[in-house]
Amino acid sequence: MLNSSTHKITPMKILVTGGAGFIGSNFIHYMLAAHPDVEIVNFDALTYAGNLENLTAVEREARYTFVKGDITVAADVAALFAAHAVDAVVHFAAESHVDRSLHIGPEAFIRTNILGTQLLLDAFRAAGARGAKRPRRFVHVSTDEVYGSLGPEGRFTENSPIKPNNPYAATKAASDFMVLAAHHSYGVDAVITRCSNNFGPYQFPEKLIPLMIANALEDKPLPVYGDGQQRRDWIYVADHCQALDYVLRQGRAGQVYNIGGGQDVTNLEVIRLILKLLQKPESLIQHVTDRPGHDRRYAMDSTRIETELGWRRQFDFAAALKATVDWYRQNSAWWQCIRSGQYSKYYETIYGNR
Ligand code: NAD
Ligand code: DAU
C-alpha cells in the first residue's frame, strides 16, 4: 500500500472530469474509500457513456459533489474553477471508443479529447495564477494506444515513438502533447499516465469484455473482429485507480508513466474464458469483418512506475475476470437498461452490415 510519509503531494479536494464514466466512477469510489481526507468534485457532461447510477453509493456522501458540465464549453469550465478551489485535477473525460471514432466519425473526439483538454489546462492555469495554497497537479489519463501497434515481441516503454493508428488514439496523442506543452511552456505541474485495456464493474457494454459477457448472458452471437488473434494487455480497473493515486501523490511533474496488466492475451482467449465462466457454448462466437486498421498487439512496460513510485499490480487477470463476470451477472439491470435505450441504434450502426 501507499506509504504516506513518502507522499510529496497530499491533495484534499480533487476535481475528477468524466467521473460518471467507467474508470472515473471506479476512481471516485476508490479514492473516497482509501482516503478519508479526500473530497471529490465530479465534473461530467453525461454523454451516452456517463451514468450517475455508477455513483449512487456515494451520492449522499458529504465529501462528494457532482457538477454537470462540458469540458468543451469554456464558460462551464470557468464557472467550475470559480466555484471550487481544487488542489488537483484527474482528467478522465473523453470520447473513449475506437469503433465510434471510426464508424461515427472523429469530430466529437477532436472536440472533447483535444479542445476540451486544452480548455481545462487553460482554466487550471488561470486558477493557479489567482493563488493556490497547496501544490497543484494535473493528471492526464491517457492510453497505450498512442504508441500504435506492436509486433509479436517487446513492450511499449515511455520512450516508444508516438504512432497512433486510429482517430481516437490520434486525439489522445494530441491531448498528451498539449499537456506536455503546458508543462514545458508555462510550468504547469502536469503528469501523464498511459494505461492499457481496463476491465471491471461499470464498463459501458460497447467495449469487448462487457459486450461479450452481456451477449453471452442473453445467448446472442459474440462478434469477434477478424481472426480474434489481436492481443491486449488487460488490467483490472482497481489496479489502474491505485496507480493513478500513486502518480497523483508522488509522480514527477512533466513525466509520463506507463501502466499495464503485465500480460497480453488474445481476444479469442478472453472470449473463451468468459464463455467457460458462464457455461455457454463456443458456438456463440461469430467472426465478423475486422476493425479497419486494427492494432494487432499492445503490451506495456510498467518498470518506471514500479521502480520510481513503488506501484505493483494487485489483481490476477483470471480472478479479476471471474469477479467481473460475476458483477455483470449480478447487475444485469444496470447493463440491460443501457442496452434497451439509444444503444440499440448504435449496435445496428456498428454491427448491422459486418
Ligand atoms: P468512458 O467512455 O466510460 O467515460 C467517459 C466519461 O467522460 C463519461 O462519463 C462522459 O460523460 C464524460 N465526458 C465525455 N465527454 C465529455 C465532455 N465534453 N465534458 C465532460 N465530460 C465528458 O471512458 P473510460 O473508459 O472510463 O475512460 C476514461 C479515460 O481513460 C479516457 O480518457 C480514456 O482515454 C482513458 N483510458 C481508458 C482505457 C480503457 O480501457 N477504458 C485505458 C486507458 C486509458
Ligand atoms: O488500450 C487502451 C484502450 O482500450 C483505451 O484507450 C480505449 O478507451 C478502450 O476503448 C480500449 O480500446 P480497444 O479498442 O483496445 O478496446 P475494445 O474493448 O473496443 O476492443 C478490445 C479488442 O477487442 C480489440 O482488439 C477489438 C476487439 N473487439 C472489440 C469489440 C467491441 C472485437 O473483436 N469485437 C467487438 O465487438
Side-chain angles (χ1 to χ4, degrees), residues 96-99 143-145 168 195-198 206-209 211-212 223-225 230 232 234 267 291 294-295 298 351:
S96 69
H97 193 36
V98 173
D99 290 326
T143 170
D144 59 359
E145 296 210 10
Y168 158 73
C195 191
S196 59
N197 285 65
N198 285 224
E206 65 188 350
K207 306 283 166 60
L208 181 79
I209 288 182
L211 176 70
M212 298 299 155
V224 176
Y225 297 165
Q230 305 82 6
R232 295 291 182 268
W234 293 98
N267 293 340
R291 176 185 276 176
H294 198 168
D295 284 342
Y298 306 147
Y351 297 97

PDB file of all heavy atoms in Angstrom, residues 96-99 143-145 168 195-198 206-209 211-212 223-225 230 232 234 267 291 294-295 298 351, ligand 2:
ATOM      1  N   SER A  96     -14.151   7.776 -25.744  1.00  0.00           N
ATOM      2  CA  SER A  96     -13.175   6.717 -25.468  1.00  0.00           C
ATOM      3  C   SER A  96     -13.269   5.485 -26.371  1.00  0.00           C
ATOM      4  O   SER A  96     -12.443   4.578 -26.235  1.00  0.00           O
ATOM      5  CB  SER A  96     -13.320   6.268 -24.007  1.00  0.00           C
ATOM      6  OG  SER A  96     -14.552   5.590 -23.824  1.00  0.00           O
ATOM      7  N   HIS A  97     -14.267   5.420 -27.274  1.00  0.00           N
ATOM      8  CA  HIS A  97     -14.438   4.153 -28.002  1.00  0.00           C
ATOM      9  C   HIS A  97     -13.927   4.225 -29.443  1.00  0.00           C
ATOM     10  O   HIS A  97     -14.427   5.007 -30.263  1.00  0.00           O
ATOM     11  CB  HIS A  97     -15.905   3.749 -27.981  1.00  0.00           C
ATOM     12  CG  HIS A  97     -16.134   2.332 -28.433  1.00  0.00           C
ATOM     13  ND1 HIS A  97     -15.250   1.295 -28.154  1.00  0.00           N
ATOM     14  CD2 HIS A  97     -17.139   1.765 -29.139  1.00  0.00           C
ATOM     15  CE1 HIS A  97     -15.704   0.176 -28.671  1.00  0.00           C
ATOM     16  NE2 HIS A  97     -16.852   0.430 -29.284  1.00  0.00           N
ATOM     17  N   VAL A  98     -12.939   3.383 -29.736  1.00  0.00           N
ATOM     18  CA  VAL A  98     -12.284   3.358 -31.050  1.00  0.00           C
ATOM     19  C   VAL A  98     -13.304   3.174 -32.183  1.00  0.00           C
ATOM     20  O   VAL A  98     -13.259   3.871 -33.208  1.00  0.00           O
ATOM     21  CB  VAL A  98     -11.237   2.222 -31.085  1.00  0.00           C
ATOM     22  CG1 VAL A  98     -10.660   2.046 -32.483  1.00  0.00           C
ATOM     23  CG2 VAL A  98     -10.127   2.482 -30.072  1.00  0.00           C
ATOM     24  N   ASP A  99     -14.246   2.243 -32.027  1.00  0.00           N
ATOM     25  CA  ASP A  99     -15.210   1.973 -33.107  1.00  0.00           C
ATOM     26  C   ASP A  99     -16.062   3.193 -33.429  1.00  0.00           C
ATOM     27  O   ASP A  99     -16.391   3.446 -34.591  1.00  0.00           O
ATOM     28  CB  ASP A  99     -16.104   0.780 -32.748  1.00  0.00           C
ATOM     29  CG  ASP A  99     -15.329  -0.531 -32.755  1.00  0.00           C
ATOM     30  OD1 ASP A  99     -14.414  -0.661 -33.591  1.00  0.00           O
ATOM     31  OD2 ASP A  99     -15.629  -1.406 -31.932  1.00  0.00           O
ATOM     32  N   THR A 143      -3.539   6.809 -22.769  1.00  0.00           N
ATOM     33  CA  THR A 143      -3.711   5.405 -23.167  1.00  0.00           C
ATOM     34  C   THR A 143      -2.476   4.844 -23.878  1.00  0.00           C
ATOM     35  O   THR A 143      -1.738   5.588 -24.544  1.00  0.00           O
ATOM     36  CB  THR A 143      -4.937   5.304 -24.108  1.00  0.00           C
ATOM     37  OG1 THR A 143      -4.980   4.013 -24.686  1.00  0.00           O
ATOM     38  CG2 THR A 143      -4.884   6.326 -25.242  1.00  0.00           C
ATOM     39  N   ASP A 144      -2.329   3.526 -23.825  1.00  0.00           N
ATOM     40  CA  ASP A 144      -1.248   2.871 -24.565  1.00  0.00           C
ATOM     41  C   ASP A 144      -1.446   2.999 -26.079  1.00  0.00           C
ATOM     42  O   ASP A 144      -0.493   2.814 -26.853  1.00  0.00           O
ATOM     43  CB  ASP A 144      -1.118   1.392 -24.162  1.00  0.00           C
ATOM     44  CG  ASP A 144      -2.374   0.548 -24.390  1.00  0.00           C
ATOM     45  OD1 ASP A 144      -3.390   1.081 -24.858  1.00  0.00           O
ATOM     46  OD2 ASP A 144      -2.324  -0.666 -24.078  1.00  0.00           O
ATOM     47  N   GLU A 145      -2.686   3.305 -26.500  1.00  0.00           N
ATOM     48  CA  GLU A 145      -2.959   3.354 -27.948  1.00  0.00           C
ATOM     49  C   GLU A 145      -2.177   4.459 -28.660  1.00  0.00           C
ATOM     50  O   GLU A 145      -2.071   4.445 -29.880  1.00  0.00           O
ATOM     51  CB  GLU A 145      -4.453   3.544 -28.210  1.00  0.00           C
ATOM     52  CG  GLU A 145      -5.266   2.392 -27.722  1.00  0.00           C
ATOM     53  CD  GLU A 145      -6.537   2.150 -28.514  1.00  0.00           C
ATOM     54  OE1 GLU A 145      -6.721   2.769 -29.570  1.00  0.00           O
ATOM     55  OE2 GLU A 145      -7.330   1.327 -28.052  1.00  0.00           O
ATOM     56  N   TYR A 168      -9.429   7.903 -32.566  1.00  0.00           N
ATOM     57  CA  TYR A 168      -9.443   8.045 -31.096  1.00  0.00           C
ATOM     58  C   TYR A 168      -8.018   8.217 -30.575  1.00  0.00           C
ATOM     59  O   TYR A 168      -7.710   9.156 -29.831  1.00  0.00           O
ATOM     60  CB  TYR A 168     -10.112   6.824 -30.451  1.00  0.00           C
ATOM     61  CG  TYR A 168      -9.716   6.623 -29.002  1.00  0.00           C
ATOM     62  CD1 TYR A 168     -10.200   7.477 -28.014  1.00  0.00           C
ATOM     63  CD2 TYR A 168      -8.846   5.589 -28.623  1.00  0.00           C
ATOM     64  CE1 TYR A 168      -9.820   7.304 -26.672  1.00  0.00           C
ATOM     65  CE2 TYR A 168      -8.467   5.415 -27.293  1.00  0.00           C
ATOM     66  CZ  TYR A 168      -8.957   6.273 -26.332  1.00  0.00           C
ATOM     67  OH  TYR A 168      -8.578   6.114 -25.020  1.00  0.00           O
ATOM     68  N   CYS A 195      -2.282   4.004 -19.838  1.00  0.00           N
ATOM     69  CA  CYS A 195      -2.668   2.686 -19.341  1.00  0.00           C
ATOM     70  C   CYS A 195      -3.142   1.790 -20.479  1.00  0.00           C
ATOM     71  O   CYS A 195      -3.579   2.254 -21.529  1.00  0.00           O
ATOM     72  CB  CYS A 195      -3.765   2.843 -18.292  1.00  0.00           C
ATOM     73  SG  CYS A 195      -4.090   1.323 -17.376  1.00  0.00           S
ATOM     74  N   SER A 196      -3.066   0.504 -20.218  1.00  0.00           N
ATOM     75  CA  SER A 196      -3.553  -0.495 -21.179  1.00  0.00           C
ATOM     76  C   SER A 196      -5.057  -0.718 -20.980  1.00  0.00           C
ATOM     77  O   SER A 196      -5.700  -0.002 -20.216  1.00  0.00           O
ATOM     78  CB  SER A 196      -2.765  -1.788 -20.994  1.00  0.00           C
ATOM     79  OG  SER A 196      -2.932  -2.248 -19.663  1.00  0.00           O
ATOM     80  N   ASN A 197      -5.614  -1.743 -21.624  1.00  0.00           N
ATOM     81  CA  ASN A 197      -7.065  -2.001 -21.594  1.00  0.00           C
ATOM     82  C   ASN A 197      -7.573  -2.340 -20.197  1.00  0.00           C
ATOM     83  O   ASN A 197      -7.129  -3.321 -19.602  1.00  0.00           O
ATOM     84  CB  ASN A 197      -7.401  -3.185 -22.502  1.00  0.00           C
ATOM     85  CG  ASN A 197      -7.336  -2.815 -23.956  1.00  0.00           C
ATOM     86  OD1 ASN A 197      -6.262  -2.492 -24.471  1.00  0.00           O
ATOM     87  ND2 ASN A 197      -8.462  -2.848 -24.633  1.00  0.00           N
ATOM     88  N   ASN A 198      -8.526  -1.546 -19.720  1.00  0.00           N
ATOM     89  CA  ASN A 198      -9.138  -1.788 -18.411  1.00  0.00           C
ATOM     90  C   ASN A 198     -10.365  -2.683 -18.540  1.00  0.00           C
ATOM     91  O   ASN A 198     -11.031  -2.692 -19.574  1.00  0.00           O
ATOM     92  CB  ASN A 198      -9.629  -0.464 -17.806  1.00  0.00           C
ATOM     93  CG  ASN A 198      -8.525   0.411 -17.258  1.00  0.00           C
ATOM     94  OD1 ASN A 198      -8.657   0.965 -16.178  1.00  0.00           O
ATOM     95  ND2 ASN A 198      -7.416   0.553 -17.969  1.00  0.00           N
ATOM     96  N   GLU A 206     -20.225  -1.452 -24.686  1.00  0.00           N
ATOM     97  CA  GLU A 206     -19.764  -1.394 -26.083  1.00  0.00           C
ATOM     98  C   GLU A 206     -18.343  -1.947 -26.186  1.00  0.00           C
ATOM     99  O   GLU A 206     -17.878  -2.260 -27.278  1.00  0.00           O
ATOM    100  CB  GLU A 206     -19.775   0.057 -26.584  1.00  0.00           C
ATOM    101  CG  GLU A 206     -18.782   0.953 -25.855  1.00  0.00           C
ATOM    102  CD  GLU A 206     -18.885   2.443 -26.179  1.00  0.00           C
ATOM    103  OE1 GLU A 206     -19.598   2.813 -27.121  1.00  0.00           O
ATOM    104  OE2 GLU A 206     -18.244   3.238 -25.454  1.00  0.00           O
ATOM    105  N   LYS A 207     -17.633  -2.040 -25.044  1.00  0.00           N
ATOM    106  CA  LYS A 207     -16.236  -2.489 -25.033  1.00  0.00           C
ATOM    107  C   LYS A 207     -16.194  -4.014 -24.940  1.00  0.00           C
ATOM    108  O   LYS A 207     -17.135  -4.645 -24.452  1.00  0.00           O
ATOM    109  CB  LYS A 207     -15.489  -1.863 -23.842  1.00  0.00           C
ATOM    110  CG  LYS A 207     -15.585  -0.335 -23.770  1.00  0.00           C
ATOM    111  CD  LYS A 207     -14.697   0.382 -24.742  1.00  0.00           C
ATOM    112  CE  LYS A 207     -14.999   1.859 -24.926  1.00  0.00           C
ATOM    113  NZ  LYS A 207     -14.907   2.692 -23.748  1.00  0.00           N
ATOM    114  N   LEU A 208     -15.088  -4.604 -25.383  1.00  0.00           N
ATOM    115  CA  LEU A 208     -15.051  -6.057 -25.604  1.00  0.00           C
ATOM    116  C   LEU A 208     -15.599  -6.893 -24.441  1.00  0.00           C
ATOM    117  O   LEU A 208     -16.532  -7.686 -24.626  1.00  0.00           O
ATOM    118  CB  LEU A 208     -13.618  -6.524 -25.909  1.00  0.00           C
ATOM    119  CG  LEU A 208     -13.537  -8.033 -26.173  1.00  0.00           C
ATOM    120  CD1 LEU A 208     -13.986  -8.382 -27.576  1.00  0.00           C
ATOM    121  CD2 LEU A 208     -12.136  -8.567 -25.941  1.00  0.00           C
ATOM    122  N   ILE A 209     -15.007  -6.731 -23.245  1.00  0.00           N
ATOM    123  CA  ILE A 209     -15.358  -7.672 -22.159  1.00  0.00           C
ATOM    124  C   ILE A 209     -16.824  -7.548 -21.723  1.00  0.00           C
ATOM    125  O   ILE A 209     -17.556  -8.553 -21.728  1.00  0.00           O
ATOM    126  CB  ILE A 209     -14.338  -7.562 -21.000  1.00  0.00           C
ATOM    127  CG1 ILE A 209     -13.011  -8.194 -21.467  1.00  0.00           C
ATOM    128  CG2 ILE A 209     -14.865  -8.230 -19.717  1.00  0.00           C
ATOM    129  CD1 ILE A 209     -11.886  -8.230 -20.449  1.00  0.00           C
ATOM    130  N   LEU A 211     -19.311  -6.335 -23.391  1.00  0.00           N
ATOM    131  CA  LEU A 211     -20.180  -6.697 -24.525  1.00  0.00           C
ATOM    132  C   LEU A 211     -20.301  -8.215 -24.643  1.00  0.00           C
ATOM    133  O   LEU A 211     -21.404  -8.761 -24.822  1.00  0.00           O
ATOM    134  CB  LEU A 211     -19.619  -6.106 -25.824  1.00  0.00           C
ATOM    135  CG  LEU A 211     -20.374  -6.487 -27.096  1.00  0.00           C
ATOM    136  CD1 LEU A 211     -21.746  -5.824 -27.137  1.00  0.00           C
ATOM    137  CD2 LEU A 211     -19.596  -6.101 -28.340  1.00  0.00           C
ATOM    138  N   MET A 212     -19.172  -8.897 -24.519  1.00  0.00           N
ATOM    139  CA  MET A 212     -19.186 -10.356 -24.668  1.00  0.00           C
ATOM    140  C   MET A 212     -19.936 -11.013 -23.505  1.00  0.00           C
ATOM    141  O   MET A 212     -20.686 -11.975 -23.707  1.00  0.00           O
ATOM    142  CB  MET A 212     -17.750 -10.899 -24.755  1.00  0.00           C
ATOM    143  CG  MET A 212     -16.993 -10.383 -25.960  1.00  0.00           C
ATOM    144  SD  MET A 212     -17.768 -10.858 -27.535  1.00  0.00           S
ATOM    145  CE  MET A 212     -17.187  -9.586 -28.631  1.00  0.00           C
ATOM    146  N   PRO A 223     -19.552 -11.058 -31.473  1.00  0.00           N
ATOM    147  CA  PRO A 223     -18.875 -10.626 -32.705  1.00  0.00           C
ATOM    148  C   PRO A 223     -17.368 -10.444 -32.515  1.00  0.00           C
ATOM    149  O   PRO A 223     -16.921  -9.494 -31.874  1.00  0.00           O
ATOM    150  CB  PRO A 223     -19.551  -9.280 -33.007  1.00  0.00           C
ATOM    151  CG  PRO A 223     -20.026  -8.772 -31.685  1.00  0.00           C
ATOM    152  CD  PRO A 223     -20.268  -9.963 -30.798  1.00  0.00           C
ATOM    153  N   VAL A 224     -16.589 -11.349 -33.079  1.00  0.00           N
ATOM    154  CA  VAL A 224     -15.124 -11.289 -32.967  1.00  0.00           C
ATOM    155  C   VAL A 224     -14.581 -10.649 -34.242  1.00  0.00           C
ATOM    156  O   VAL A 224     -14.812 -11.162 -35.343  1.00  0.00           O
ATOM    157  CB  VAL A 224     -14.540 -12.709 -32.799  1.00  0.00           C
ATOM    158  CG1 VAL A 224     -13.023 -12.668 -32.773  1.00  0.00           C
ATOM    159  CG2 VAL A 224     -15.092 -13.343 -31.548  1.00  0.00           C
ATOM    160  N   TYR A 225     -13.835  -9.565 -34.104  1.00  0.00           N
ATOM    161  CA  TYR A 225     -13.306  -8.864 -35.281  1.00  0.00           C
ATOM    162  C   TYR A 225     -12.155  -9.676 -35.896  1.00  0.00           C
ATOM    163  O   TYR A 225     -11.181 -10.015 -35.203  1.00  0.00           O
ATOM    164  CB  TYR A 225     -12.767  -7.486 -34.905  1.00  0.00           C
ATOM    165  CG  TYR A 225     -13.795  -6.508 -34.365  1.00  0.00           C
ATOM    166  CD1 TYR A 225     -13.380  -5.348 -33.694  1.00  0.00           C
ATOM    167  CD2 TYR A 225     -15.163  -6.697 -34.528  1.00  0.00           C
ATOM    168  CE1 TYR A 225     -14.300  -4.429 -33.210  1.00  0.00           C
ATOM    169  CE2 TYR A 225     -16.085  -5.790 -34.037  1.00  0.00           C
ATOM    170  CZ  TYR A 225     -15.646  -4.660 -33.372  1.00  0.00           C
ATOM    171  OH  TYR A 225     -16.560  -3.755 -32.882  1.00  0.00           O
ATOM    172  N   GLN A 230      -5.796 -10.678 -32.129  1.00  0.00           N
ATOM    173  CA  GLN A 230      -5.227  -9.430 -31.627  1.00  0.00           C
ATOM    174  C   GLN A 230      -5.002  -9.577 -30.118  1.00  0.00           C
ATOM    175  O   GLN A 230      -5.796 -10.215 -29.425  1.00  0.00           O
ATOM    176  CB  GLN A 230      -6.185  -8.246 -31.889  1.00  0.00           C
ATOM    177  CG  GLN A 230      -6.605  -8.085 -33.330  1.00  0.00           C
ATOM    178  CD  GLN A 230      -7.745  -9.010 -33.728  1.00  0.00           C
ATOM    179  OE1 GLN A 230      -8.326  -9.712 -32.909  1.00  0.00           O
ATOM    180  NE2 GLN A 230      -8.066  -9.021 -35.011  1.00  0.00           N
ATOM    181  N   ARG A 232      -4.288  -7.863 -26.263  1.00  0.00           N
ATOM    182  CA  ARG A 232      -4.429  -6.691 -25.408  1.00  0.00           C
ATOM    183  C   ARG A 232      -3.868  -7.028 -24.019  1.00  0.00           C
ATOM    184  O   ARG A 232      -3.956  -8.168 -23.565  1.00  0.00           O
ATOM    185  CB  ARG A 232      -5.908  -6.267 -25.282  1.00  0.00           C
ATOM    186  CG  ARG A 232      -6.548  -5.793 -26.617  1.00  0.00           C
ATOM    187  CD  ARG A 232      -5.961  -4.466 -27.054  1.00  0.00           C
ATOM    188  NE  ARG A 232      -6.549  -3.912 -28.285  1.00  0.00           N
ATOM    189  CZ  ARG A 232      -6.085  -4.116 -29.512  1.00  0.00           C
ATOM    190  NH1 ARG A 232      -5.044  -4.908 -29.717  1.00  0.00           N
ATOM    191  NH2 ARG A 232      -6.646  -3.506 -30.548  1.00  0.00           N
ATOM    192  N   TRP A 234      -4.599  -6.645 -20.597  1.00  0.00           N
ATOM    193  CA  TRP A 234      -5.741  -6.299 -19.736  1.00  0.00           C
ATOM    194  C   TRP A 234      -5.317  -6.004 -18.306  1.00  0.00           C
ATOM    195  O   TRP A 234      -4.523  -6.742 -17.726  1.00  0.00           O
ATOM    196  CB  TRP A 234      -6.773  -7.429 -19.738  1.00  0.00           C
ATOM    197  CG  TRP A 234      -7.416  -7.593 -21.076  1.00  0.00           C
ATOM    198  CD1 TRP A 234      -7.090  -8.508 -22.045  1.00  0.00           C
ATOM    199  CD2 TRP A 234      -8.469  -6.794 -21.637  1.00  0.00           C
ATOM    200  NE1 TRP A 234      -7.888  -8.327 -23.154  1.00  0.00           N
ATOM    201  CE2 TRP A 234      -8.743  -7.285 -22.937  1.00  0.00           C
ATOM    202  CE3 TRP A 234      -9.213  -5.707 -21.165  1.00  0.00           C
ATOM    203  CZ2 TRP A 234      -9.710  -6.740 -23.765  1.00  0.00           C
ATOM    204  CZ3 TRP A 234     -10.185  -5.158 -21.982  1.00  0.00           C
ATOM    205  CH2 TRP A 234     -10.426  -5.670 -23.261  1.00  0.00           C
ATOM    206  N   ASN A 267      -7.813 -11.819 -28.045  1.00  0.00           N
ATOM    207  CA  ASN A 267      -9.243 -11.586 -27.830  1.00  0.00           C
ATOM    208  C   ASN A 267      -9.994 -12.913 -27.739  1.00  0.00           C
ATOM    209  O   ASN A 267     -10.894 -13.074 -26.909  1.00  0.00           O
ATOM    210  CB  ASN A 267      -9.812 -10.743 -28.967  1.00  0.00           C
ATOM    211  CG  ASN A 267      -9.244  -9.326 -28.958  1.00  0.00           C
ATOM    212  OD1 ASN A 267      -8.741  -8.866 -27.934  1.00  0.00           O
ATOM    213  ND2 ASN A 267      -9.325  -8.637 -30.087  1.00  0.00           N
ATOM    214  N   ARG A 291     -12.012  -4.728 -37.699  1.00  0.00           N
ATOM    215  CA  ARG A 291     -11.965  -3.270 -37.484  1.00  0.00           C
ATOM    216  C   ARG A 291     -10.958  -2.693 -38.466  1.00  0.00           C
ATOM    217  O   ARG A 291      -9.849  -3.254 -38.602  1.00  0.00           O
ATOM    218  CB  ARG A 291     -11.529  -3.033 -36.040  1.00  0.00           C
ATOM    219  CG  ARG A 291     -11.331  -1.583 -35.658  1.00  0.00           C
ATOM    220  CD  ARG A 291     -10.773  -1.465 -34.228  1.00  0.00           C
ATOM    221  NE  ARG A 291     -11.798  -1.511 -33.215  1.00  0.00           N
ATOM    222  CZ  ARG A 291     -11.554  -1.503 -31.902  1.00  0.00           C
ATOM    223  NH1 ARG A 291     -10.323  -1.443 -31.443  1.00  0.00           N
ATOM    224  NH2 ARG A 291     -12.553  -1.539 -31.030  1.00  0.00           N
ATOM    225  N   HIS A 294      -6.965  -2.270 -37.665  1.00  0.00           N
ATOM    226  CA  HIS A 294      -6.975  -2.846 -36.307  1.00  0.00           C
ATOM    227  C   HIS A 294      -5.570  -3.061 -35.754  1.00  0.00           C
ATOM    228  O   HIS A 294      -4.779  -3.813 -36.324  1.00  0.00           O
ATOM    229  CB  HIS A 294      -7.709  -4.188 -36.397  1.00  0.00           C
ATOM    230  CG  HIS A 294      -8.199  -4.716 -35.095  1.00  0.00           C
ATOM    231  ND1 HIS A 294      -9.075  -5.763 -35.013  1.00  0.00           N
ATOM    232  CD2 HIS A 294      -7.942  -4.347 -33.813  1.00  0.00           C
ATOM    233  CE1 HIS A 294      -9.341  -6.015 -33.754  1.00  0.00           C
ATOM    234  NE2 HIS A 294      -8.651  -5.164 -33.000  1.00  0.00           N
ATOM    235  N   ASP A 295      -5.266  -2.427 -34.623  1.00  0.00           N
ATOM    236  CA  ASP A 295      -3.965  -2.637 -33.972  1.00  0.00           C
ATOM    237  C   ASP A 295      -3.849  -4.093 -33.523  1.00  0.00           C
ATOM    238  O   ASP A 295      -4.751  -4.639 -32.887  1.00  0.00           O
ATOM    239  CB  ASP A 295      -3.821  -1.722 -32.743  1.00  0.00           C
ATOM    240  CG  ASP A 295      -3.524  -0.282 -33.142  1.00  0.00           C
ATOM    241  OD1 ASP A 295      -3.096  -0.048 -34.289  1.00  0.00           O
ATOM    242  OD2 ASP A 295      -3.729   0.620 -32.296  1.00  0.00           O
ATOM    243  N   TYR A 298      -0.962  -4.780 -28.148  1.00  0.00           N
ATOM    244  CA  TYR A 298      -0.486  -3.799 -27.161  1.00  0.00           C
ATOM    245  C   TYR A 298       0.107  -4.566 -25.982  1.00  0.00           C
ATOM    246  O   TYR A 298      -0.477  -5.564 -25.532  1.00  0.00           O
ATOM    247  CB  TYR A 298      -1.622  -2.941 -26.579  1.00  0.00           C
ATOM    248  CG  TYR A 298      -2.514  -2.196 -27.543  1.00  0.00           C
ATOM    249  CD1 TYR A 298      -3.855  -2.003 -27.232  1.00  0.00           C
ATOM    250  CD2 TYR A 298      -2.030  -1.646 -28.727  1.00  0.00           C
ATOM    251  CE1 TYR A 298      -4.701  -1.298 -28.075  1.00  0.00           C
ATOM    252  CE2 TYR A 298      -2.868  -0.943 -29.575  1.00  0.00           C
ATOM    253  CZ  TYR A 298      -4.202  -0.776 -29.250  1.00  0.00           C
ATOM    254  OH  TYR A 298      -5.041  -0.082 -30.074  1.00  0.00           O
ATOM    255  N   TYR A 351     -22.628  -3.025 -36.048  1.00  0.00           N
ATOM    256  CA  TYR A 351     -22.596  -4.465 -36.333  1.00  0.00           C
ATOM    257  C   TYR A 351     -23.565  -4.901 -37.444  1.00  0.00           C
ATOM    258  O   TYR A 351     -23.458  -6.020 -37.929  1.00  0.00           O
ATOM    259  CB  TYR A 351     -22.896  -5.271 -35.059  1.00  0.00           C
ATOM    260  CG  TYR A 351     -21.857  -5.067 -33.974  1.00  0.00           C
ATOM    261  CD1 TYR A 351     -22.069  -4.142 -32.951  1.00  0.00           C
ATOM    262  CD2 TYR A 351     -20.653  -5.768 -33.989  1.00  0.00           C
ATOM    263  CE1 TYR A 351     -21.117  -3.936 -31.961  1.00  0.00           C
ATOM    264  CE2 TYR A 351     -19.689  -5.562 -33.007  1.00  0.00           C
ATOM    265  CZ  TYR A 351     -19.927  -4.646 -31.995  1.00  0.00           C
ATOM    266  OH  TYR A 351     -18.975  -4.433 -31.029  1.00  0.00           O
TER     267      TYR A 351
HETATM  268  O1  DAU B   2      -5.695   0.129 -24.809  1.00  0.00           O
HETATM  269  C1  DAU B   2      -6.414   1.090 -24.105  1.00  0.00           C
HETATM  270  C2  DAU B   2      -7.696   1.371 -24.835  1.00  0.00           C
HETATM  271  O2  DAU B   2      -8.502   0.216 -24.663  1.00  0.00           O
HETATM  272  C3  DAU B   2      -8.421   2.605 -24.344  1.00  0.00           C
HETATM  273  O3  DAU B   2      -7.643   3.740 -24.606  1.00  0.00           O
HETATM  274  C4  DAU B   2      -9.778   2.745 -25.037  1.00  0.00           C
HETATM  275  O4  DAU B   2     -10.502   3.836 -24.466  1.00  0.00           O
HETATM  276  C5  DAU B   2     -10.554   1.474 -24.831  1.00  0.00           C
HETATM  277  O5  DAU B   2     -11.774   1.540 -25.542  1.00  0.00           O
HETATM  278  C6  DAU B   2      -9.750   0.266 -25.287  1.00  0.00           C
HETATM  279  O6  DAU B   2      -9.594   0.244 -26.717  1.00  0.00           O
HETATM  280  P1  DAU B   2      -9.666  -1.121 -27.548  1.00  0.00           P
HETATM  281  O7  DAU B   2     -10.043  -0.809 -28.938  1.00  0.00           O
HETATM  282  O8  DAU B   2      -8.446  -1.932 -27.345  1.00  0.00           O
HETATM  283  O9  DAU B   2     -10.858  -1.835 -26.747  1.00  0.00           O
HETATM  284  P2  DAU B   2     -12.198  -2.580 -27.203  1.00  0.00           P
HETATM  285  O10 DAU B   2     -12.819  -3.120 -25.961  1.00  0.00           O
HETATM  286  O11 DAU B   2     -13.032  -1.752 -28.093  1.00  0.00           O
HETATM  287  O12 DAU B   2     -11.627  -3.795 -28.051  1.00  0.00           O
HETATM  288  C7  DAU B   2     -10.708  -4.709 -27.482  1.00  0.00           C
HETATM  289  C8  DAU B   2     -10.312  -5.690 -28.559  1.00  0.00           C
HETATM  290  O13 DAU B   2     -11.458  -6.489 -28.904  1.00  0.00           O
HETATM  291  C9  DAU B   2      -9.871  -5.044 -29.859  1.00  0.00           C
HETATM  292  O14 DAU B   2      -8.841  -5.844 -30.437  1.00  0.00           O
HETATM  293  C10 DAU B   2     -11.109  -5.086 -30.735  1.00  0.00           C
HETATM  294  C11 DAU B   2     -11.794  -6.364 -30.293  1.00  0.00           C
HETATM  295  N1  DAU B   2     -13.266  -6.372 -30.392  1.00  0.00           N
HETATM  296  C12 DAU B   2     -13.954  -5.362 -29.824  1.00  0.00           C
HETATM  297  C13 DAU B   2     -15.329  -5.309 -29.884  1.00  0.00           C
HETATM  298  C14 DAU B   2     -16.095  -4.167 -29.245  1.00  0.00           C
HETATM  299  C15 DAU B   2     -13.911  -7.413 -31.053  1.00  0.00           C
HETATM  300  O15 DAU B   2     -13.280  -8.356 -31.548  1.00  0.00           O
HETATM  301  N2  DAU B   2     -15.284  -7.369 -31.122  1.00  0.00           N
HETATM  302  C16 DAU B   2     -16.021  -6.351 -30.581  1.00  0.00           C
HETATM  303  O16 DAU B   2     -17.272  -6.368 -30.709  1.00  0.00           O
END
